[in-house]
Amino acid sequence: MRIIGITGGIGSGKTTVAKIFALLGIPVFYADEAAKDIMVRDQELASRIRGHFGEAAYFPDGTLNRKFIADIVFADKEQLAILNSFVHPATIRDSEQWASRQNAPYVIKEAALMFETESFHHVDKVITVYAPEALRIRRVMQRDNTDRNAVIARMHKQLDEQIKRKLADYVIYNDEQQLVIPQVLELHKTFLAL
Ligand SMILES: CC(C)(COP(=O)(O)OP(=O)(O)OC[C@H]1O[C@@H](n2cnc3c(N)ncnc32)[C@H](O)[C@@H]1O)[C@@H](O)C(=O)NCCC(=O)NCCS
Ligand SMILES: Nc1ncnc2c1ncn2[C@@H]1O[C@H](COP(=O)(O)OP(=O)(O)OP(=O)(O)O)[C@@H](O)[C@H]1O
């Protein structure tokens, strides 16, 4: 069964596009959510994160203190690289186990970091969702009720959009100049024929 990766910069609309594929009956693996789930569920991983970032990385009830970790890692690329080295291998393993359980013509793996990690070796084709930087910043500020600098701090920890467009097999333009649904329907037909 084919695994199609969806990636793109923060606020590009990866999740929005993935949900359209889900409406077409295609199983979708959301890497952001899976990563945060593993960081709580996998006790060995959780103890590595506590050991490195401190007990404050988790609340007393065992849930992830996302803001505490985000404030550290998105201000320091070395700390982000350490967190990624803890979390990404487990997320890739999780996505492969998930994919092996699916019964569909193809599946989607939505991940912010596809080309930045080993993820793109584990999918058959990659879609990059593209939107201009200013639009992405505006969208994330509105969605997360956060400030511009916080969005830019994350953006600067991601691969350049032009490079992602060159590396991807397909590009979906989610720039509010073109409708997204016809682009998704076209790719759905392509993937069914793969
Ligand atoms: C730091 C954490 C706890 C913050 O959680 P929070 O709910 O605020 O953000 P969330 O995980 O939903 O990510 C939102 C967006 O931030 C950006 N982002 C997240 N992780 C990273 C990263 N490692 N590098 C660059 N950008 C990232 C992406 O655009 C992502 O879509 C979380 O982002 C995290 O654990 N990141 C490291 C693991 C990871 O890389 N996850 C994402 C892909 S697997
Ligand atoms: N074409 C669009 N028109 C209007 N709003 C949009 C459009 N595409 C996405 N959005 C909104 O912009 C915000 C970011 O979209 P989305 O969460 O899908 O991006 P993402 O790439 O998954 O972001 P992240 O990297 O943070 O996970 C969301 O609030 C979403 O509803």
Side-chain angles (χ1 to χ4, degrees):
M1 174 179 53
R2 301 280 186 185
I3 305 181
I4 309 292
I6 294 184
T7 193
I10 186 167
S12 58
K14 296 181 294 302
T15 306
T16 302
V17 166
K19 285 179 181 169
I20 300 170
F21 279 101
L23 288 173
L24 296 171
I26 299 301
V28 178
F29 180 89
Y30 295 95
D32 291 355
E33 293 318 312
K36 286 180 283 189
D37 175 55
I38 296 167
M39 291 162 79
V40 172
R41 182 163 41 86
D42 181 327
Q43 288 313 305
E44 187 201 338
L45 174 58
S47 62
R48 289 182 79 191
I49 292 170
R50 280 194 178 86
H52 181 78
F53 292 99
E55 286 302 320
Y58 291 83
F59 291 114
D61 66 357
T63 55
L64 198 60
N65 187 344
R66 297 177 343 182
K67 184 174 181 339
F68 172 82
I69 298 173
D71 287 350
I72 294 170
V73 299
F74 293 120
D76 180 329
K77 62 177 184 231
E78 279 74 34
Q79 293 303 316
L80 181 59
I82 290 168
L83 180 63
N84 288 344
S85 71
F86 291 169
V87 177
H88 289 171
T91 309
I92 289 173
R93 270 197 311 277
D94 213 35
S95 69
E96 293 188 323
Q97 287 164 6
W98 170 86
S100 67
R101 295 195 298 269
Q102 304 309 311
N103 177 19
Y106 65 93
V107 299
I108 295 271
K109 177 180 177 182
E110 184 263 6
L113 307 176
M114 190 72 61
F115 299 118
E116 295 93 333
T117 68
E118 290 304 297
S119 281
F120 78 102
H121 290 306
H122 300 267
V123 298
D124 296 294
K125 297 285 183 188
V126 178
I127 300 168
T128 280
V129 180
Y130 173 78
E133 182 175 296
L135 179 56
R136 293 194 286 121
I137 291 170
R138 192 172 79 233
R139 283 172 176 168
V140 178
M141 285 175 70
Q142 281 168 358
R143 181 194 66 190
D144 297 353
N145 189 27
T146 187
D147 63 84
R148 181 186 172 77
N149 291 336
V151 181
I152 290 171
R154 293 192 186 207
M155 208 170 255
H156 286 171
K157 303 291 185 304
Q158 300 180 345
L159 200 59
D160 180 81
E161 296 307 291
Q162 310 308 338
I163 297 172
K164 286 183 191 170
R165 280 203 281 184
K166 286 195 174 66
L167 290 173
D169 300 288
Y170 309 96
V171 180
I172 288 182
Y173 289 87
N174 182 26
D175 52 8
E176 295 170 8
Q177 302 302 313
Q178 301 179 47
L179 292 175
V180 169
I181 290 176
Q183 296 178 72
V184 170
L185 292 175
E186 201 53 44
L187 285 178
H188 178 61
K189 276 192 295 189
T190 302
F191 299 148
L192 290 177
L194 281 180

